[in-house]
């Protein structure tokens, strides 16, 4: 079945929905998500959204903090754009009904997180993402121009390749005409033709054994662009959040927001000693890469699986009021955070790299934009500053709409795209071939491509992945398409890109730390 829309939006988190709401003023919009609109990384965001609001904070300070965190790898023009445009996009969120906490004077109650020199994190208690996502969903439901397709899994981008042309990475002017998507309820594959397509497919947590990301995060958009011969970069910069709750077996791993350290919590070893000062003069509030590596080092030195986060010195009532969900979650596990230390461990959390885009959110493929975590704008450089992700997503979704509406009138649907061809395919004999291979990818990545890397480990990972790649491509070619086999292909592509790009970086920078080219850990003794 073929459907036609001016704008095809793949992904229903903050990037996809905010784009859709603005694009709907200029044409028809299809908004696809692979489960329900409520299930996105956006919904899980805790800490908040960074924006300069009041003096003594300033754009210059936020820019400086972002650049320091990015460890010399940010694109200055992107950093300036996002930080200058942040307050306007916060106003958009307020207009869409997002409710950020205020203090007794009626001003926004701003939190501070690692790497920020000022309080500038707008938040809604400790579940900011849920507040944003639900407000955006309410807006989408009020818009008749936006057709929402839940449980639709985008499989492949449509390009000249589907017209029988050979498309290579050297082909100039690759164009995107939409996407094939699987309706998971009917098992039919639909052809979505569009004039403009936005990828807003979120993160890649599914590539690792432990992650804070929900299970939708399998890097689908990134893998689709790679297969369509578009540019994907900075994939070696995988962010591990320093303080996920240590609770083996739980997936996704529950996050203990960095804002709790901004509020006064400190890290301790299992024998109760503070250790962060040994690694960085900013202590527990150093940027994430430094804190995660310090914890990883302490755990390796002591042979333990976690360290402690201590918030017991703070006022108990205030702690409960600021962090009600963390309090409740820990209490369910028998940890009263106002009295007990919280066991925490670093966990995969975010990807700084992804689909390369310019300042307009335009990818290297014509008619294709990307925004949010699947994109690489240059804001985060080698290490994202806390709470800079949600703001990047909404600023770049805005830039993409503004650019797309200038072009849309000159674009036509490509009616020559054929429907999906599944001739010669059958149901896989054994689903275990898919589920087991998925686990193997996670294990390879967690064992060999984690916080501390080496050439030896990266080559081991690549060799093992190559076997899985060959087996999976063979299985894909003869199988009826399912979400499971597509996700497996995608996590293999994403893992491959991370390893390959990590091997190419002959230095330690930001989140990419390798023992073969060690940069000294700053201020380590
Ligand atoms: P998402 O919100 O992840 O949405 C992705 C969408 O794409 C989903 O709708 C999904 O169904 C859809 N999709 C994916 N693949 C397909 C496919 N093949 N076909 C169809 N649809 C598809 N950032 C901050 O700035 N501040 C924070 O406080 C913060 N806290 C966080 C806490 C947690 C626990 C986590 C996991 C992340 C946090 N982040 C935070 C990061 C931030 O939440 C994400 O980077 C951001 O929400 C990503 O938004 P997005 O719109 O790019 O993607
Ligand atoms: C957190 O609340 O610590 C997460 C913030 C982020 O990932 O930006």
């Amino acid at each position: 079945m073929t459907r036609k829309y001016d704008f095809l939006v793949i992904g229903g988190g903050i990037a996809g929905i905010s784009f859709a709401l603005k694009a709907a003023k200029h044409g028809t919009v299809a908004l696809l998500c692979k489960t329900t609109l409520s299930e996105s990384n956006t919904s899980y965001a805790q800490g908040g959204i960074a924006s300069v609001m009041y003096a003594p904070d300033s754009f210059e300070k936020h820019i400086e903090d972002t650049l320091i965190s990015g460890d010399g790898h940010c694109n200055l023009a992107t950093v300036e754009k996002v930080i200058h445009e942040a307050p306007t996009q916060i106003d958009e969120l307020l207009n869409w009904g997002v409710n950020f906490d205020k203090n007794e004077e009626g001003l926004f109650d701003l939190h501070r997180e690692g790497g920020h020199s000022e309080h500038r994190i707008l938040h809604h208690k400790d579940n900011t993402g849920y507040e944003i996502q639900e407000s955006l969903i309410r807006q989408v439901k009020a818009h008749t121009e936006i057709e929402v397709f839940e449980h639709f899994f985008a499989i492949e981008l449509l390009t000249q390749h589907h017209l029988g042309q050979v498309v290579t990475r050297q082909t100039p002017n690759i164009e995107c005409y939409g996407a094939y998507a699987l309706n998971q309820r009917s098992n039919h594959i639909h052809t979505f033709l569009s004039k403009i397509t936005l990828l807003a497919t979120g993160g890649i947590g599914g590539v690792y054994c432990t992650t804070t990301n929900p299970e939708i995060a399998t890097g689908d958009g990134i893998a689709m662009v790679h297969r369509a011969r578009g540019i994907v970069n900075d994939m070696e910069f995988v962010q591990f959040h320093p303080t996920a709750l240590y609770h083996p077996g739980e997936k996704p791993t529950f996050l203990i927001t960095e804002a709790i350290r901004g509020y006064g919590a400190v890290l301790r070893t299992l024998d109760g000693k503070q250790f962060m000062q040994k690694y960085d003069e900013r202590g527990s509030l150093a940027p994430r890469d430094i804190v995660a590596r310090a914890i990883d080092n302490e755990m390796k030195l002591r042979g333990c699986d976690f360290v402690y986060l201590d918030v017991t010195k703070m006022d108990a009532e205030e702690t409960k009021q600021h962090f009600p969900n963390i309090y409740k979650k820990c209490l369910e596990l028998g940890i009263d955070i106002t009295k007990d230390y919280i066991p925490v461990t670093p966990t995969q959390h975010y990807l700084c790299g992804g689909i390369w885009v310019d300042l307009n959110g335009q990818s290297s493929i014509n008619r294709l934009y990307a925004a949010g975590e699947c994109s690489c704008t240059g804001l985060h450089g080698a290490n994202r500053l806390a709470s800079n992700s949600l703001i990047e997503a909404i600023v770049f979704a805005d830039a993409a709409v503004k650019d797309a509406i200038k072009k849309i009138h000159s674009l036509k649907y490509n009616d020559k795209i054929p429907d999906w061809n599944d001739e010669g395919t059958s149901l896989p004999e054994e689903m275990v071939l898919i589920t087991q291979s998925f686990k193997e990818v996670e294990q390879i990545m967690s064992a060999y491509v984690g916080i501390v890397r080496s050439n030896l480990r990266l080559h081991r990972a690549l060799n093992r992945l190559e076997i899985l790649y060959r087996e999976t491509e063979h299985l894909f070619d003869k199988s009826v398409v399912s979400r499971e086999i597509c996700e497996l292909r995608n996590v293999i592509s994403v893992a491959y890109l991370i390893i390959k790009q990590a091997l190419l970086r002959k230095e330690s920078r930001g989140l990419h730390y390798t023992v073969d080219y060690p940069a000294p850990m700053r201020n380590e003794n």
Side-chain angles (χ1 to χ4, degrees):
M1 179 195 260
T2 301
R3 298 168 178 275
K4 291 183 186 178
Y5 296 86
D6 292 320
F7 300 94
L8 170 64
V9 181
I10 305 176
I14 186 171
I17 300 187
S18 63
F19 179 98
L21 290 173
K22 292 174 183 174
K25 295 186 188 130
H26 305 274
T28 53
V29 182
L31 175 62
L32 272 57
C33 62
K34 68 169 150 176
T35 57
T36 61
L37 272 186
S38 301
E39 186 69 351
S40 64
N41 275 283
T42 301
S43 299
Y44 283 68
Q46 285 188 0
I49 181 162
S51 174
V52 173
M53 300 304 288
Y54 314 117
D57 198 7
S58 65
F59 290 142
E60 290 69 30
K61 287 183 187 170
H62 192 183
I63 290 170
E64 178 77 0
D65 293 345
T66 302
L67 294 175
I68 291 172
S69 184
D71 204 8
H73 195 66
C74 300
N75 177 343
L76 181 60
T78 305
V79 175
E80 289 177 343
K81 174 185 175 67
V82 172
I83 287 165
H84 285 137
E85 292 181 18
T88 309
Q89 294 308 316
I90 295 293
D91 283 344
E92 293 275 19
L93 288 174
L94 295 170
N95 289 338
W96 284 328
V98 178
N99 188 10
F100 293 118
D101 289 353
K102 291 193 169 162
N103 60 24
E104 280 160 9
E105 289 95 64
L107 300 173
F108 289 111
D109 174 49
L110 303 175
H111 275 168
R112 185 175 163 203
E113 293 177 342
H116 288 273
S117 57
E118 293 289 347
H119 286 70
R120 64 168 73 97
I121 318 294
L122 293 120
H123 63 98
H124 177 90
K125 305 216 179 297
D126 56 357
N127 63 355
T128 311
Y130 181 81
E131 170 67 17
I132 292 176
Q133 185 78 23
E134 292 304 308
S135 306
L136 292 176
I137 293 174
R138 279 194 296 276
Q139 291 297 323
V140 165
K141 289 195 172 147
H143 261 83
T144 45
E145 305 85 343
I146 304 175
E147 207 170 328
V148 177
F149 294 86
E150 292 186 316
H151 301 285
F152 270 66
F153 183 96
I155 304 168
E156 213 60 89
L157 295 173
L158 305 172
T159 66
Q160 292 97 322
H161 168 78
H162 298 91
L163 301 170
Q165 293 178 26
V166 176
V167 177
T168 69
R169 293 196 194 282
Q170 279 68 46
T171 304
N173 300 323
I174 305 175
E175 294 200 318
C176 176
Y177 308 121
Y180 290 126
L182 171 71
N183 177 348
Q184 297 170 71
R185 289 192 169 124
S186 68
N187 280 329
H188 282 117
I189 294 175
H190 297 238
T191 307
F192 282 84
L193 294 183
S194 62
K195 294 179 182 165
I196 294 286
T197 301
L198 174 84
L199 283 171
T201 48
I204 58 120
V207 170
Y208 285 87
C209 290
T210 62
T211 174
T212 60
N213 296 185
E215 64 164 22
I216 50 118
T218 49
D220 300 342
I222 295 171
M224 284 193 275
V225 167
H226 178 62
R227 283 197 293 271
R229 311 289 187 251
I231 298 175
V232 170
N233 62 348
D234 286 358
M235 293 293 286
E236 65 274 36
F237 300 119
V238 178
Q239 187 165 66
F240 289 77
H241 197 289
T243 60
L245 181 66
Y246 177 72
H247 184 221
E250 187 171 33
K251 197 167 183 182
T253 311
F254 185 78
L255 185 75
I256 308 292
T257 177
E258 193 152 320
I260 210 163
R261 277 178 282 131
Y263 165 74
V266 292
L267 288 158
R268 295 185 186 279
T269 53
L270 295 198
D271 51 3
K273 297 204 175 65
Q274 288 196 39
F275 58 87
M276 269 315 299
Q277 219 59 38
K278 225 169 45 171
Y279 295 90
D280 194 287
E281 62 196 7
R282 289 161 289 186
S284 293
L285 273 177
R288 254 177 217 180
D289 55 337
I290 296 172
V291 182
R293 226 159 32 235
I295 297 176
D296 185 67
N297 198 40
E298 289 295 324
M299 287 180 357
K300 282 187 177 135
L301 286 176
R302 289 155 203 273
C304 55
D305 294 331
F306 58 88
V307 294
Y308 282 127
L309 188 62
D310 169 17
V311 69
T312 60
K313 300 288 175 293
M314 308 306 288
D315 179 81
E317 285 316 307
E318 215 179 310
T319 301
K320 285 190 226 171
Q321 192 201 326
H322 278 277
F323 306 104
N325 292 299
I326 293 176
Y327 176 73
K328 183 167 163 269
K329 168 76 186 181
C330 290
L331 206 58
E332 281 164 13
L333 302 176
I335 305 161
D336 179 345
I337 66 168
T338 64
K339 300 190 185 105
D340 308 318
Y341 294 169
I342 312 167
V344 291
T345 188
T347 298
Q348 193 286 338
H349 181 60
Y350 186 82
L351 176 69
C352 295
I355 302 158
W356 175 87
V357 292
D358 66 12
L359 286 175
N360 294 318
Q362 164 75 58
S363 76
S364 61
I365 298 178
N366 292 336
R367 302 167 65 153
L368 180 70
Y369 292 78
E373 190 165 341
C374 69
S375 68
C376 180
T377 66
L379 174 70
H380 310 308
N383 176 42
R384 177 177 66 103
L385 184 66
S387 289
N388 262 359
S389 167
L390 293 168
I391 199 67
E392 177 202 43
I394 189 168
V395 166
F396 266 84
D398 181 71
V401 176
K402 285 182 176 143
D403 197 58
I405 59 175
K406 286 189 216 146
K407 298 178 183 165
I408 194 146
H409 301 294
S410 61
L411 299 173
K412 294 201 165 44
Y413 298 110
N414 193 321
D415 290 309
K416 298 198 184 87
I417 296 286
D419 278 342
W420 180 266
N421 180 358
D422 59 1
E423 249 177 54
T425 61
S426 56
L427 289 171
E429 280 163 40
E430 295 181 308
M431 272 306 281
V432 71
L433 296 178
I434 297 174
T435 52
Q436 186 54 31
S437 301
F438 208 114
K439 282 187 201 144
E440 284 176 44
V441 177
E442 292 173 350
Q443 280 157 3
I444 291 169
M445 293 304 284
S446 294
Y448 301 123
V449 198
I451 295 175
V452 176
R453 298 167 180 174
S454 72
N455 281 336
L456 182 68
R457 288 179 211 157
L458 292 173
H459 280 295
R460 272 194 163 213
L462 197 57
N463 290 339
R464 280 154 180 72
L465 199 69
E466 261 165 20
I467 300 171
L468 289 169
Y469 171 73
R470 279 197 300 275
E471 289 172 352
T472 304
E473 286 304 298
H474 180 65
L475 193 63
F476 180 78
D477 286 343
K478 58 182 194 141
S479 299
V480 168
V481 167
S482 65
R483 174 174 159 189
E484 291 79 6
I485 183 95
C486 291
E487 287 186 335
L488 174 60
R489 274 186 105 201
N490 292 342
V491 292
I492 290 174
S493 294
V494 168
Y496 168 82
L497 287 163
I498 295 171
I499 300 167
K500 277 298 238 195
Q501 296 188 8
L503 277 167
L504 287 173
R505 184 163 290 283
K506 310 284 183 211
E507 61 171 350
S508 287
R509 183 176 293 278
L511 296 160
H512 175 69
Y513 183 82
T514 164
V515 295
D516 293 306
Y517 309 97
M521 283 174 86
R522 283 164 263 185
N523 296 323
E524 190 180 10
N525 54 19

